[in-house]
Amino acid sequence: MNWIDKAADQIEKEYEDGLIDMHEMHDQLADLRAEAQQEAEDAAQAAYDDCMGW
């Protein structure tokens, strides 16, 4: 399990425990997806730059 899955599980647990409402859960999951997407793009760019010798 990677950090994204662990973070999503934690958010879902907070919802199940009644600590956050459904709207907050969806907002947090959307933020998590955006963060994961940015991290993936950064890694892809770094790999491309390394391959191209930049």
Side-chain angles (χ1 to χ4, degrees):
M1 183 177 283
N2 60 38
W3 71 270
I4 299 166
D5 294 331
K6 289 178 184 176
D9 287 349
Q10 180 63 36
I11 293 167
E12 291 169 357
K13 184 176 182 334
E14 289 175 6
Y15 171 70
E16 291 169 1
D17 291 345
L19 301 174
I20 59 174
D21 63 18
M22 186 176 285
H23 178 73
E24 180 65 23
M25 180 184 71
H26 286 290
D27 286 349
Q28 288 185 20
L29 289 172
D31 290 345
L32 183 61
R33 280 191 301 275
E35 184 179 344
Q37 178 67 33
Q38 185 61 51
E39 184 174 296
E41 289 175 9
D42 292 346
Q45 185 65 50
Y48 175 81
D49 291 347
D50 185 53
C51 181
M52 298 301 288
W54 294 340

